[in-house]
Amino acid sequence: MTPAPAASLVFITGASSGIGQALAQRYAQAGWRLALVARRAAALGAWAQAQGWGPERCQVYGADVCVTDEIIGAAQACLARQGVPDVVVANAGISIGMDSAERADLEVMARIFATNNLGLAATFHPFIEPMRQRGRGALVGIASVAAIRGLPGHGAYCASKAAVVSYCESLRGELRGSGVRVLTLVPGYVDTPLTRGNRYPMPFMLSPDAFAARAVRAIAAGASYRVIPWPMGVAAKLLRLLPNALFDRLLAGRPRKARQAPS
């Protein structure tokens, strides 16, 4: 990776584990400054300190992206302390199985949409006008190959990630010609806390660092849409082409994503 100028700044949500943490490490290795966001701000701050990143290199902001005022406040604090980021990665997301026949799972669905969709839009919102005025910047939305076809028991997550793809496509058109790029990253299976509870095969699994390396290259290349790894994209597209009756038979009996344990 080509080292970035010292002034370059990346803003990453969901940075306390998994993909977000791996992206932070990759950008730090390339000399970027970091603005890292997580609900678990204390744990994230301790991890950042253990990496040897001082406050001039890394700032940590505590926010829950599904609380609009919190993530907007974190973004505004970043703008005040560190300036306008060059790259914003809306990475924070959750994945929980659901059953629409269960009343409690409708609340689960609302929480997934609030995090994965409204949280993504609220993450981008404070940076759009400053980036547009500056004439450059990149807004990166993390979707999933689960966006391509609906999976039984996974309806809320699949729907939310399909919405990420459509939202980023819409935003890309709105910002065309402004110098602000919008990129949709579509991970396959990545070994993170989000996937470790899955009860079904996960082909082409990547480590978070392997995903982050490919993601950073895609962002630097100015891509608008990228499935990582590409074989998972091919597999998902082939599934999209299957007639519904055949697709439904293939998934019959497949273990479902675990539902949230009753409180």
Side-chain angles (χ1 to χ4, degrees), residues 58-75:
C58 176
Q59 290 284 328
V60 170
Y61 304 94
D64 185 338
V65 300
C66 74
V67 181
T68 300
D69 286 345
E70 287 190 14
I71 183 58
I72 289 178

mmCIF file of all heavy atoms in Angstrom, residues 58-75:
data_model
loop_
_atom_site.group_PDB
_atom_site.id
_atom_site.type_symbol
_atom_site.label_atom_id
_atom_site.label_comp_id
_atom_site.label_asym_id
_atom_site.label_seq_id
_atom_site.Cartn_x
_atom_site.Cartn_y
_atom_site.Cartn_z
ATOM 1 N N CYS A 58 -4.625 9.400 16.556
ATOM 2 C CA CYS A 58 -5.892 8.689 16.646
ATOM 3 C C CYS A 58 -6.787 9.316 17.700
ATOM 4 O O CYS A 58 -6.359 9.558 18.837
ATOM 5 C CB CYS A 58 -5.640 7.218 16.978
ATOM 6 S SG CYS A 58 -7.127 6.238 17.242
ATOM 7 N N GLN A 59 -8.044 9.560 17.321
ATOM 8 C CA GLN A 59 -9.063 10.018 18.259
ATOM 9 C C GLN A 59 -10.186 8.980 18.293
ATOM 10 O O GLN A 59 -10.579 8.438 17.250
ATOM 11 C CB GLN A 59 -9.630 11.372 17.835
ATOM 12 C CG GLN A 59 -8.662 12.529 17.983
ATOM 13 C CD GLN A 59 -8.506 12.972 19.433
ATOM 14 O OE1 GLN A 59 -9.438 12.890 20.226
ATOM 15 N NE2 GLN A 59 -7.313 13.445 19.778
ATOM 16 N N VAL A 60 -10.677 8.700 19.491
ATOM 17 C CA VAL A 60 -11.752 7.726 19.678
ATOM 18 C C VAL A 60 -13.016 8.465 20.101
ATOM 19 O O VAL A 60 -12.970 9.335 20.977
ATOM 20 C CB VAL A 60 -11.359 6.676 20.732
ATOM 21 C CG1 VAL A 60 -12.562 5.811 21.108
ATOM 22 C CG2 VAL A 60 -10.221 5.802 20.210
ATOM 23 N N TYR A 61 -14.131 8.104 19.473
ATOM 24 C CA TYR A 61 -15.413 8.735 19.765
ATOM 25 C C TYR A 61 -16.427 7.651 20.151
ATOM 26 O O TYR A 61 -16.572 6.657 19.429
ATOM 27 C CB TYR A 61 -15.926 9.508 18.541
ATOM 28 C CG TYR A 61 -14.942 10.537 18.031
ATOM 29 C CD1 TYR A 61 -14.051 10.218 17.013
ATOM 30 C CD2 TYR A 61 -14.888 11.820 18.580
ATOM 31 C CE1 TYR A 61 -13.132 11.156 16.543
ATOM 32 C CE2 TYR A 61 -13.980 12.754 18.115
ATOM 33 C CZ TYR A 61 -13.097 12.415 17.104
ATOM 34 O OH TYR A 61 -12.186 13.338 16.649
ATOM 35 N N GLY A 62 -17.095 7.855 21.256
ATOM 36 C CA GLY A 62 -18.122 6.919 21.678
ATOM 37 C C GLY A 62 -19.469 7.287 21.099
ATOM 38 O O GLY A 62 -19.919 8.421 21.252
ATOM 39 N N ALA A 63 -20.095 6.344 20.396
ATOM 40 C CA ALA A 63 -21.417 6.603 19.825
ATOM 41 C C ALA A 63 -22.052 5.284 19.410
ATOM 42 O O ALA A 63 -21.369 4.357 18.968
ATOM 43 C CB ALA A 63 -21.327 7.525 18.611
ATOM 44 N N ASP A 64 -23.362 5.227 19.552
ATOM 45 C CA ASP A 64 -24.161 4.131 19.019
ATOM 46 C C ASP A 64 -24.774 4.660 17.727
ATOM 47 O O ASP A 64 -25.551 5.618 17.749
ATOM 48 C CB ASP A 64 -25.249 3.753 20.025
ATOM 49 C CG ASP A 64 -26.045 2.527 19.597
ATOM 50 O OD1 ASP A 64 -26.072 2.222 18.393
ATOM 51 O OD2 ASP A 64 -26.647 1.885 20.477
ATOM 52 N N VAL A 65 -24.457 4.041 16.597
ATOM 53 C CA VAL A 65 -24.905 4.595 15.312
ATOM 54 C C VAL A 65 -26.417 4.578 15.158
ATOM 55 O O VAL A 65 -26.957 5.335 14.338
ATOM 56 C CB VAL A 65 -24.243 3.882 14.108
ATOM 57 C CG1 VAL A 65 -22.735 4.022 14.151
ATOM 58 C CG2 VAL A 65 -24.672 2.434 14.012
ATOM 59 N N CYS A 66 -27.105 3.720 15.919
ATOM 60 C CA CYS A 66 -28.564 3.708 15.766
ATOM 61 C C CYS A 66 -29.227 4.828 16.552
ATOM 62 O O CYS A 66 -30.442 5.011 16.460
ATOM 63 C CB CYS A 66 -29.143 2.345 16.131
ATOM 64 S SG CYS A 66 -29.189 1.975 17.875
ATOM 65 N N VAL A 67 -28.431 5.592 17.307
ATOM 66 C CA VAL A 67 -28.933 6.801 17.970
ATOM 67 C C VAL A 67 -28.422 7.984 17.153
ATOM 68 O O VAL A 67 -27.244 8.357 17.237
ATOM 69 C CB VAL A 67 -28.460 6.884 19.433
ATOM 70 C CG1 VAL A 67 -29.011 8.133 20.107
ATOM 71 C CG2 VAL A 67 -28.880 5.636 20.198
ATOM 72 N N THR A 68 -29.282 8.559 16.349
ATOM 73 C CA THR A 68 -28.864 9.551 15.352
ATOM 74 C C THR A 68 -28.057 10.688 15.958
ATOM 75 O O THR A 68 -27.007 11.078 15.424
ATOM 76 C CB THR A 68 -30.095 10.098 14.609
ATOM 77 O OG1 THR A 68 -30.755 9.013 13.947
ATOM 78 C CG2 THR A 68 -29.690 11.136 13.583
ATOM 79 N N ASP A 69 -28.510 11.231 17.074
ATOM 80 C CA ASP A 69 -27.800 12.361 17.673
ATOM 81 C C ASP A 69 -26.399 11.964 18.149
ATOM 82 O O ASP A 69 -25.482 12.790 18.122
ATOM 83 C CB ASP A 69 -28.597 12.941 18.844
ATOM 84 C CG ASP A 69 -29.804 13.748 18.383
ATOM 85 O OD1 ASP A 69 -29.867 14.085 17.184
ATOM 86 O OD2 ASP A 69 -30.682 14.028 19.221
ATOM 87 N N GLU A 70 -26.232 10.719 18.562
ATOM 88 C CA GLU A 70 -24.910 10.281 19.032
ATOM 89 C C GLU A 70 -23.908 10.209 17.887
ATOM 90 O O GLU A 70 -22.786 10.712 18.007
ATOM 91 C CB GLU A 70 -25.007 8.916 19.725
ATOM 92 C CG GLU A 70 -25.644 8.951 21.097
ATOM 93 C CD GLU A 70 -25.494 7.637 21.848
ATOM 94 O OE1 GLU A 70 -24.672 6.784 21.423
ATOM 95 O OE2 GLU A 70 -26.189 7.465 22.861
ATOM 96 N N ILE A 71 -24.286 9.581 16.770
ATOM 97 C CA ILE A 71 -23.313 9.450 15.686
ATOM 98 C C ILE A 71 -23.067 10.794 15.000
ATOM 99 O O ILE A 71 -21.935 11.120 14.617
ATOM 100 C CB ILE A 71 -23.740 8.365 14.666
ATOM 101 C CG1 ILE A 71 -22.668 8.193 13.589
ATOM 102 C CG2 ILE A 71 -25.082 8.654 14.075
ATOM 103 C CD1 ILE A 71 -21.290 7.811 14.106
ATOM 104 N N ILE A 72 -24.103 11.633 14.908
ATOM 105 C CA ILE A 72 -23.883 12.973 14.355
ATOM 106 C C ILE A 72 -22.969 13.770 15.280
ATOM 107 O O ILE A 72 -22.072 14.489 14.830
ATOM 108 C CB ILE A 72 -25.216 13.692 14.130
ATOM 109 C CG1 ILE A 72 -25.957 13.044 12.951
ATOM 110 C CG2 ILE A 72 -24.998 15.184 13.859
ATOM 111 C CD1 ILE A 72 -27.320 13.650 12.676
ATOM 112 N N GLY A 73 -23.158 13.634 16.591
ATOM 113 C CA GLY A 73 -22.281 14.316 17.543
ATOM 114 C C GLY A 73 -20.841 13.865 17.417
ATOM 115 O O GLY A 73 -19.912 14.689 17.490
ATOM 116 N N ALA A 74 -20.634 12.561 17.225
ATOM 117 C CA ALA A 74 -19.266 12.048 17.049
ATOM 118 C C ALA A 74 -18.642 12.610 15.775
ATOM 119 O O ALA A 74 -17.466 12.990 15.752
ATOM 120 C CB ALA A 74 -19.285 10.523 17.003
ATOM 121 N N ALA A 75 -19.428 12.669 14.710
ATOM 122 C CA ALA A 75 -18.920 13.218 13.447
ATOM 123 C C ALA A 75 -18.576 14.696 13.583
ATOM 124 O O ALA A 75 -17.538 15.164 13.083
ATOM 125 C CB ALA A 75 -19.955 13.007 12.341
#
